[in-house]
Structure formats: structure tokens, C-alpha cells
Amino acid sequence: MIQSLQNIFSPEQVKQAQELFASLSAEQRIWASGYLAGLNQSGELLGQSLVNGSSNGAVTVGTDVQAPAKLTILYGTHTGNSKLLALQAQEQAEAAGVQVQLSDIQKYKNRNLKEEENLLVIVSTHGEGDPPVSVEDFYAYIHGKKAPKLSALNFAVLALGDSSYINFCKTGRDIYEQLTKLGGKGIYDIVELDVDFQDAAAVAIPSIVEKFAGQNGQAAVSAPTAKATSANKANEWVEAEVLEKVLLNGRGSAKETYHIEIDIEETGIVYEAGDALEITAKNNAALVADILEQLAIDASTVVQVEGKDVAIQEALINQFELTVVTLPVLKKYADLASNDSLNAIVADEEKIGEFLYGLDFLDLIKDYPVKLEAQALVDLLRKLPARLYSISSSYAYNPDEVHVTVGAVRFVNKGRERNGVCSSFLADQIHPGENVWVRVRKNESFRLPANESNVIMVGPGTGIAPFRAFLQERETQEAEGKNWLFFGDQHFESDFLYQTELLQYRADGLLQKIDVAFSRDQEEKVYVQDRLRENGAEVFQWLNNGGYFYLCGDKDRMAKDVKKALVQIIEEHGKISTREAADYLKKLRADGYFREDVY
């Protein structure tokens, strides 16, 4: 039965509604329209009709109201970007009248998957194709024998990654393909987002939301863009002054590690122990000059970047990736080069990683010359992403500053010295009194436990950074729990980072134990995993009594070796099988007692 507006609302109510909608902002109207669309069977936006003054029986409302679409959004993240986008998607979906269930994929009950009708998965890829820790169980479940048939499922996948890795967005692609194999219907092509994902996400998320809203026959509602959502407002860039920069390594060290202190007193920045700091860098001017010379492009040539006129030299210094050649950039360059040798390399999946390792853009244009105009050059390159560093200070301990611990990346390739873009920028170009652009990247999965809990921290090299923050935090909180640190590097004399502070913490009783491994101080190399094994009985006792284990540092070698040592320790001192020990560690991770921040 269809009833006219006059039969439902009094003239006074109609007038009040018109006045209300006339007073709303565009964003507020979108939200209200989306909400009312879920209640309106006619397919017409009730709110918009009121705004337009259609009050003489033109608006009709059905008495048989269809329930709004329901959408489950799962996010799996390592650094927090997936959660940020999930919050944006939730806000926009709810504005479009969709009921949303938002969940960390690690906390999602996999058995519920067979009941889902609409699913949006937002997931990052860790390094060279690995799922983030939080995604491992879901990933294994959908690929395992217990995975359900999903013929009733409509789904979409937002995949995040870093195109400097060969297996860019692999976790997201794998999930998309597997959900399809299980019978699910992908209602939107997989979206692959690089590190500069904001603009692409601002286009993709509203489009995906509209698809899901349409599953229930709801009126399509233009959701607010990502820039308008509250989930995106708290994480803005600020310019801050560098107060101090100290070289931590002693004379004779093969390493170059800097402690950098940044003034945030009047910036509004707030962070927690375990968070990271993003820092924007500039490319080395000499590298830019060499590239322009090789391409015979005048440094003052004007190009268009994001709708603005910029000199090519300035654009290359400030805005584009030069020290790393990503696979997408290589493929685009190979299309321009039409070089058989380069095409063969691009087509060889086994060799492409070795070819790209250590390669910069100057190498590419020297080895495979192409005539490039200035605009074609900037259109080819990837935007220069900010670099991420674990924060090595506690906001509670010193709210006016944020500290980072930066290892300068330097190596020689093809007879030419190479430098990490941000680490060398901080080491060579930035001095106390100068400013850098920074913002905080939250890391909710790497937080301290309750004050009474015991904590084991393993952080060789610059992996010490978050644990310096942890110790400052626990000192400020007067935490009752015990603290045990494992630290390693090359030489005791030159590479014991924060030695004075750590030994003072040991003397004061904040650190109950500190075990160090300096690999080059004896003939046989010794690493932190060796120190863990030597203390295996006590390590197991701490874990078995509810202690927390934190790991930070190199993902590909150190972290794998530490986890292998932990399984051996659990097997030996728990007197269980290797399989049971692996399950024990898996449960520690699932329950939050094992946490890692590896890169």
C-alpha cells in the first residue's frame, strides 16, 4: 500500500523537515539521504525530496520496508593502513544506509564466513608476499580443507602493498582468487593500492560502497570522499624542528646509526610507545642532476605534477622515487625502450628480483637508454613515499619530543655508491635547527601489556628503538612487571646502541636482565637467538607464566631465526613435540603474548 506524504505527516511536520534539510551541509544531507534511502521502498530519496519542496503528495513511502544491506568489513594490517581504510569504508557505507559489521580479521570467527552475504576485505601484504601476522589464520582457513562453499557471497578486496616488492599486493590477490574459487562473486575488481594509496582509495571506496548498497536495491548514494571522513583527519603531516642528531656508533664501526630528536611541543602530535614515525625525504641533488644530464633534459623545464607547474629538477628532488625501481615502473619503461634484452628480464619471474635489487633509475636509463621528454619522465615514475621508523621515545616520559633511531643505508653497486633515500637525507642533509615533515603511524598490535606483566624484548641493531620507548614508558608508569632485553650488533666497543642508558636501567632495577650478542667480537658469530637458547629454561618459564615476548628488527633473517629458536626452547623445556611447540607459539601470537614489528 502506498500512502501520500499528506496522509503521514502534518503540515507542521513537513515544514519542520524542509527547514531541517535546508540547514544541513552537503555532507550531512548525504548521510541523512543514505539513511532514509534504506527506509524508502520507492527508490526516491525522501530527504532530497523534502529539500526540493515536494510536499504536495509527490513523495510516497511504502509500508513494506526493506531492511538495509548488511556488510561485513574485515581488515588485516601490519602498520595500520588497512584499519584506516576500513574505518573510512565503514563511515561511507553507513552514510549510504548500509549496516556495517567491522572487525579485525584476526578476531573474526572464520566459521561465520559461510553465513556472510556481503564482505569487504581490506588487507596489506608484508614484504615479499607474506600475509600480515593478523591475517595468517584467515588466509590458511580459506585455503584449507575446512573452507566453506560461498555461492551466496558477494565480496570485494582492497589490497595494500609496496610496489618496490616483486610480490606486490600478493596477499590481497590470493584472497580474491580463493574467495572466487569457493564460489563467491567479486562485485568489484580487486583494487591494488601502493604506498601512496590515498587518492586511489578515495575513488575506490565510494564505488565499492555503492556496489554493496545496490545489492539490496537501495538507492545509490554518493558517499563522502576519504578526505571528508573523520577517520582521515587525525593523521596529518606537520613540520617539526630537529633538536639533536647524535651518531651512536663509535670509532671503527662499519655502521652509521643516528639518534634523532624532533620537537613536537606545538605540533599537536600525540603518540604511544610502539608507534612509528613517517618522515618525508628529498632525493640527493647530485643524483637528480646525473639523471637529467643522462636524459639531456634542462633542469628548469616545467612539468605538470598534480595540476601544478613545477620545474623538473624540483619535482625530481621532492616528489618522485629515484633510488628504487619498482616492477610497475620497470614494465612501463620496458614498453618505452622496446629492448629485447630488457623485455626478457621483465618476463623472467625468477630473475626479476635479482635484477631490481640495488638498481636505481640512473642505472636503468644508462643501461637501457630511452629518449624521454620531461613530462613523460615524471608520468613514468612512482611518487616518493615517506619512510617509516619505529619511535624510540615515550610520549608519557617526554611529551615535547619524538625520537627515532636511524641506520644510514649505504652500499656500492656497479661501482657507484648508493644511499637509502630517507636515511641518507637525515644523515647528510638534515641538521639540528632544520625542519622535517612528519606524522605518526599508529601500531595498535605492538603495545605494552598491563603494568604487572613481565616483558621479554628482542631488538638487535635499530630494532632496539621501540624497546627504548617501552623502558621509558614503564619507568614513567612505575610498572611492577619485570623487563628482559636481548640486544645484538657487530661489536661491543662501537655498536652497543644506547649503552649508557641501558646499563643505567639495569643498575636501577628497571631492567632485570639484559643479554647481549656481538657477532664479530669472536671467531664464531653469536646472535640474539643464540642468547635466547642459552637462557632457554628461564625464557620458557617467563612465557609459561604469562610473560609477553616482543620482537623488532630484520624480518627475513633475524626474525625467522628467533622464532625458530623459540620453538626449540618451547619443545625442549616444555617437553613437547616440535609440532606442539609450533602450536604453542602460534597460540601465544593469537592471544597477544607474542608480538612483532619486523621489516
Side-chain angles (χ1 to χ4, degrees):
M1 176 182 178
I2 303 299
Q3 301 179 13
S4 73
L5 181 65
Q6 292 167 323
N7 292 334
I8 300 174
F9 299 105
S10 69
E12 182 179 0
Q13 288 174 321
V14 171
K15 181 180 179 182
Q16 289 173 342
Q18 289 174 328
E19 291 175 350
L20 171 62
F21 275 85
S23 69
L24 297 179
S25 67
E27 184 177 344
Q28 289 169 329
R29 290 181 186 180
I30 287 170
W31 187 95
S33 295
Y35 174 77
L36 293 171
L39 307 177
N40 182 4
Q41 278 296 290
S42 71
E44 182 178 10
L45 294 183
L46 174 60
Q48 189 61 48
S49 298
L50 290 172
V51 172
N52 293 336
S54 303
S55 59
N56 295 318
V59 178
T60 58
V61 179
T63 57
D64 297 323
V65 177
Q66 185 180 22
K70 294 181 179 180
L71 171 64
T72 296
I73 301 176
L74 302 180
Y75 63 88
T77 188
H78 176 64
T79 60
N81 283 333
S82 295
K83 183 178 181 180
L84 175 66
L85 294 184
L87 290 169
Q88 292 177 8
Q90 178 188 27
E91 188 169 345
Q92 295 182 36
E94 289 175 344
V98 178
Q99 291 184 4
V100 176
Q101 179 67 43
L102 179 70
S103 176
D104 183 336
I105 203 168
Q106 185 170 234
K107 298 177 181 178
Y108 179 72
K109 294 180 179 179
N110 292 332
R111 64 178 180 270
N112 290 344
L113 184 60
K114 63 182 178 182
E115 308 295 337
E116 301 289 359
E117 295 181 2
N118 296 303
L119 177 68
L120 172 59
V121 179
I122 305 178
V123 63
S124 62
T125 294
H126 195 188
E128 283 295 358
D130 295 328
V133 170
S134 63
V135 182
E136 289 178 348
D137 283 348
F138 180 84
Y139 185 92
Y141 175 75
I142 64 173
H143 285 86
K145 295 180 180 179
K146 295 183 179 181
K149 298 298 181 182
L150 301 174
S151 56
L153 179 70
N154 299 303
F155 75 90
V157 175
L158 269 172
L160 288 84
D162 183 341
S163 61
S164 64
Y165 292 97
I166 299 301
N167 293 311
F168 172 58
C169 287
K170 183 178 185 298
T171 300
R173 289 200 306 269
D174 288 349
I175 290 175
Y176 188 96
E177 292 171 5
Q178 189 60 20
L179 292 178
T180 301
K181 289 179 181 178
L182 294 173
K185 175 189 174 184
I187 65 170
Y188 201 92
D189 288 341
I190 184 171
V191 177
E192 298 183 355
L193 301 173
D194 206 345
V195 289
D196 54 341
F197 59 82
Q198 289 85 356
D199 290 343
V203 174
I205 290 176
S207 300
I208 293 172
V209 164
E210 185 173 351
K211 288 282 188 180
F212 281 118
Q215 295 302 305
N216 260 32
Q218 291 174 224
V221 177
S222 298
T225 65
K227 292 180 180 178
T229 64
S230 61
N232 202 42
K233 292 178 180 177
N235 194 26
E236 298 180 352
W237 291 99
V238 300
E239 190 173 19
E241 181 183 350
V242 172
L243 297 173
E244 189 168 0
K245 184 173 76 172
V246 178
L247 179 63
L248 296 175
N249 302 99
R251 184 178 302 173
S253 176
K255 295 190 173 186
E256 193 178 333
T257 311
Y258 291 91
H259 169 77
I260 299 174
E261 300 181 358
I262 299 170
D263 181 8
I264 60 169
E265 184 175 4
E266 297 181 359
T267 64
I269 282 182
V270 176
Y271 63 91
E272 297 178 66
D275 286 341
L277 192 71
E278 282 186 284
I279 303 177
T280 62
K282 295 183 179 182
N283 284 305
N284 185 285
L287 174 62
V288 170
D290 288 343
I291 289 172
L292 292 176
E293 181 180 1
Q294 180 68 28
L295 294 171
I297 296 175
D298 187 274
S300 62
T301 302
V302 174
V303 293
Q304 279 254 321
V305 181
E306 297 179 347
K308 297 179 180 179
D309 289 340
V310 185
I312 182 69
Q313 181 183 48
E314 180 184 346
L316 293 184
I317 288 175
N318 294 304
Q319 295 178 268
F320 293 97
E321 181 91 87
L322 301 176
T323 59
V324 173
V325 177
T326 67
L327 183 56
V329 169
L330 179 65
K331 288 180 176 179
K332 289 191 289 185
Y333 188 85
D335 289 341
L336 295 172
S338 299
N339 183 290
D340 291 341
S341 175
L342 185 58
N343 288 336
I345 292 170
V346 171
D348 193 330
E349 293 183 359
E350 294 184 0
K351 293 183 179 179
I352 189 67
E354 180 181 350
F355 175 78
L356 288 174
Y357 184 78
L359 188 80
D360 67 12
F361 194 71
L362 182 57
D363 291 326
L364 190 60
I365 60 177
K366 279 186 172 182
D367 295 344
Y368 304 93
V370 172
K371 176 62 178 175
L372 279 178
E373 300 296 332
Q375 188 63 51
L377 172 60
V378 298
D379 291 344
L380 170 71
L381 294 169
R382 179 173 85 148
K383 292 292 181 62
L384 179 60
R387 266 41 176 189
L388 204 62
Y389 296 97
S390 297
I391 292 174
S392 53
S393 57
S394 161
Y395 185 84
Y397 186 86
N398 184 354
D400 295 337
E401 299 176 10
V402 61
H403 302 170
V404 290
T405 308
V406 179
V409 176
R410 305 188 194 278
F411 61 98
V412 175
N413 189 33
K414 297 186 176 183
R416 181 162 58 86
E417 184 177 298
R418 314 301 171 91
N419 299 298
V421 61
C422 193
S423 65
S424 65
F425 168 71
L426 293 171
D428 302 335
Q429 300 184 49
I430 293 297
H431 306 285
E434 297 177 327
N435 292 348
V436 290
W437 284 92
V438 300
R439 69 178 176 185
V440 171
R441 177 78 66 83
K442 292 293 181 183
N443 190 357
E444 300 295 344
S445 64
F446 206 70
R447 294 279 185 252
L448 277 166
N451 284 346
E452 64 273 11
S453 301
N454 295 336
V455 173
I456 297 173
M457 300 165 282
V458 180
T462 54
I464 188 65
F467 303 134
R468 180 177 184 264
F470 277 16
L471 290 169
Q472 288 184 354
E473 186 86 0
R474 298 208 104 186
E475 180 183 25
T476 302
Q477 294 176 346
E478 298 182 353
E480 298 175 3
K482 296 180 180 179
N483 303 295
W484 187 356
L485 175 68
F486 289 83
F487 173 76
D489 215 312
Q490 292 188 350
H491 298 285
F492 172 82
E493 291 292 338
S494 59
D495 302 316
F496 194 164
L497 308 183
Y498 300 113
Q499 177 183 1
T500 302
E501 290 182 25
L502 295 175
L503 294 180
Q504 187 62 53
Y505 281 142
R506 179 69 181 88
D508 292 343
L510 181 66
L511 262 176
Q512 277 67 39
K513 293 177 68 70
I514 178 169
D515 285 275
V516 295
F518 294 101
S519 59
R520 307 299 198 273
D521 279 348
Q522 59 284 312
E523 186 174 343
E524 184 177 351
K525 292 180 181 178
V526 178
Y527 299 104
V528 287
Q529 58 266 27
D530 299 312
R531 296 295 185 229
L532 282 166
R533 291 190 189 94
E534 292 170 5
N535 292 272
E538 192 171 359
V539 168
F540 179 74
Q541 184 182 37
W542 279 47
L543 293 177
N544 212 37
N545 290 335
Y548 286 73
F549 191 101
Y550 292 83
L551 175 62
C552 183
D554 173 63
K555 171 181 176 289
D556 295 324
R557 290 166 294 181
M558 181 277 297
K560 289 180 179 179
D561 290 339
V562 166
K563 284 181 275 191
K564 181 179 177 181
L566 267 183
V567 170
Q568 293 171 344
I569 288 168
I570 294 165
E571 177 184 1
E572 178 183 353
H573 298 283
K575 296 180 172 55
I576 55 179
S577 68
T578 303
R579 174 64 180 273
E580 290 171 326
D583 288 342
Y584 185 106
L585 180 57
K586 184 177 180 180
K587 189 173 189 313
L588 287 179
R589 173 184 287 175
D591 293 342
Y593 287 91
F594 177 93
R595 304 184 182 189
E596 58 183 329
D597 181 16
V598 293
Y599 38 83

